[in-house]
Amino acid sequence: MKKHILVVPGDGIGQEVTRVGKKVLEKIAAKYGHEFTYDEALIGHVAIEATGEPLPDETLIKMRASDAILFGAVGHAKYDNDPNAKVRPEQGLLKMRKELGLFANLRPIKLFDELLSSSSIKPEILKGSDILFFRELTGDVYFGEKKRTADSASDLMIYHKYEVERIARKAFDAAMTRGKKLMSVDKANVLESSRLWREVIQEVSKDYPEVTVEHQFIDAAAMLLIKDPKRFDVVVLGNLFGDILTDEASQIAGSMGMLASASVGESTGVYEPIHGSAHDITGKNLANPMASVLSAALLLDISFGLKAESRDVISAVDQVLKAGFRTGDIADENTPKEKILGTVEIGEEILKRI
Ligand code: IPM
Ligand code: MN
């Protein structure tokens, strides 16, 4: 198979982890006889430094011309405490999502057995958890009108029916291939946009009579996720609630460093770790590259339909964990046989097992 992949490492540890993710794609291509070509482009803080823009036109052109995008992270500490900064790295990420029509963000939460004890949740509550989040990614308060006066500010939380319907269909389709259970999360007891959300989910559910639908309010869902993660199978929710709940859910998988995501919709798919740029550990060879590696696995599966290749990558990660190799974020002092490795070294262990 011939494919063109754009690598967009972005900021902070995005650079280090994406290097490993790309090597995994190269190894897969060599092993299975595929011809992958690569290009690289700038986004976020590094793009602002180089061009003044968080998403330069050149990057967007390259994105549209590629078959899939392996993405790192955006963000830089220098903007976080400067509420008045006009140009911010995150604007590049949001513009990319909008321009590429990436309305569905899939965040699978799968716990590798070896990491049961590295979560702060009790192993007996966690064991067997397997959740697939569908976070809506191009609507909501993220993209609604923003207003600012001298002494007030507002962000419009807005959803259109078509936006809810298209993410709902993706989630229902996925539910049909899994446990035929779908949880929709909203705040319909307070928000009008959530009442529209719920109404559309109920309408779409008529086309999927086999799927059992459960509606939960976001506050209750946040509580249940820790209390009883096995109750969750496929979850569909809006952009802001999805942002928050999936960070919480990452603790089920042991660490943010383990979680991959796929953003898909109208054009090229983007595959990225859910963790951010983590400037505190940047350049120290400490970052866990597994989220990027697992993002590469999602890319192979979803954008290229290469199921066996994708499974090969996931199995390599599993074997590395079984062999006792860990990065700092998933280390557990109660398991003495563990060997702590750096980003590059654990990447090599993964590559050896593909
Ligand atoms: C994510 C991130 C982004 C978001 C930030 C960096 C804008 O937290 O992808 O979850 O809020 O969507
Ligand atoms: Mn987030």
Side-chain angles (χ1 to χ4, degrees):
M1 182 180 278
K2 275 191 185 176
K3 292 286 180 191
H4 185 64
I5 300 166
L6 185 67
V7 180
V8 186
D11 301 326
I13 60 167
Q15 300 279 341
E16 295 156 68
V17 299
T18 310
R19 217 169 285 140
V20 181
K22 183 184 173 191
K23 280 192 183 159
V24 162
L25 291 170
E26 288 170 337
K27 182 82 193 270
I28 285 288
K31 176 171 170 183
Y32 291 87
H34 300 304
E35 200 179 304
F36 294 164
T37 53
Y38 303 89
D39 197 357
E40 220 171 273
L42 298 174
I43 196 166
H45 171 67
V46 290
I48 297 173
E49 297 281 282
T51 70
E53 296 279 331
L55 177 63
D57 286 345
E58 193 195 339
T59 297
L60 201 51
I61 290 167
K62 286 184 178 183
M63 285 176 161
R64 292 192 204 282
S66 64
D67 295 309
I69 298 165
L70 185 69
F71 196 94
V74 299
H76 192 283
K78 88 175 214 199
Y79 306 86
D80 292 347
N81 291 316
D82 179 7
N84 295 317
K86 286 277 171 288
V87 182
R88 319 180 69 87
E90 291 80 4
Q91 291 164 344
L93 180 67
L94 299 185
K95 186 172 171 198
M96 172 188 80
R97 291 173 178 171
K98 201 65 171 180
E99 291 285 334
L100 298 181
L102 302 169
F103 63 82
N105 182 217
L106 281 65
R107 295 188 163 184
I109 312 284
K110 204 163 161 50
L111 173 68
F112 288 91
D113 279 346
E114 296 73 27
L115 297 183
L116 257 182
S117 58
S118 56
S119 170
S120 42
I121 306 174
K122 288 193 197 107
E124 61 270 26
I125 304 234
L126 271 187
K127 200 169 168 35
S129 301
D130 180 355
I131 310 174
L132 179 56
F133 282 93
F134 280 82
R135 169 189 176 195
E136 199 288 328
L137 203 59
T138 52
D140 203 350
V141 75
Y142 273 69
F143 293 94
E145 190 186 358
K146 295 181 187 301
K147 284 190 188 153
R148 184 71 196 252
T149 68
D151 59 0
S152 77
S154 66
D155 304 87
L156 182 66
M157 185 177 251
I158 180 165
Y159 265 118
H160 299 88
K161 275 188 158 183
Y162 77 93
E163 294 175 304
V164 185
E165 184 176 342
R166 63 187 179 181
I167 183 89
R169 291 205 181 273
K170 281 201 182 288
F172 273 102
D173 285 342
M176 285 298 290
T177 69
R178 295 172 46 111
K180 298 189 176 162
K181 264 174 66 183
L182 178 74
M183 184 190 287
S184 170
V185 175
D186 61 32
K187 189 69 186 170
N189 52 345
V190 177
L191 302 173
E192 201 55 46
S193 54
S194 281
R195 286 193 275 271
L196 175 102
W197 179 278
R198 195 173 280 215
E199 194 181 294
V200 176
I201 299 288
Q202 285 167 351
E203 273 170 31
V204 174
S205 77
K206 291 181 192 145
D207 293 338
Y208 299 84
E210 286 175 58
V211 177
T212 309
V213 181
E214 174 182 3
H215 296 276
Q216 288 290 347
F217 298 134
I218 178 65
D219 49 351
M223 177 273 292
L224 285 169
L225 193 56
I226 299 298
K227 184 171 178 241
D228 186 13
K230 285 197 280 287
R231 179 186 181 128
F232 294 71
D233 185 344
V234 178
V235 183
V236 63
L237 72 186
N239 205 345
L240 181 63
F241 297 153
D243 180 45
I244 299 167
L245 210 63
T246 53
D247 263 31
E248 186 191 343
S250 73
Q251 291 313 299
I252 293 170
S255 162
M256 292 260 278
M258 296 302 299
L259 286 198
S261 84
S263 301
V264 297
E266 291 157 12
S267 64
T268 318
V270 174
Y271 299 84
E272 63 175 306
I274 89 155
H275 63 67
S277 48
H279 280 272
D280 49 333
I281 57 164
T282 295
K284 298 182 179 159
N285 197 34
L286 288 174
N288 182 352
M290 290 185 184
S292 180
V293 171
L294 294 169
S295 296
L298 283 177
L299 182 157
L300 292 166
D301 179 359
I302 299 176
S303 274
F304 300 168
L306 299 172
K307 305 270 177 212
E309 287 84 338
S310 178
R311 275 197 301 273
D312 198 344
V313 174
I314 296 168
S315 146
V317 170
D318 198 31
Q319 289 170 49
V320 165
L321 294 171
K322 284 208 168 80
F325 297 114
R326 299 284 186 275
T327 42
D329 60 312
I330 48 173
D332 171 13
E333 65 278 12
N334 302 319
T335 318
K337 70 168 179 41
E338 288 182 353
K339 295 173 272 292
I340 310 291
L341 296 183
T343 312
V344 172
E345 293 72 26
I346 208 157
E348 291 303 323
E349 293 300 329
I350 296 170
L351 288 168
K352 267 191 234 165
R353 289 167 175 81
I354 291 179

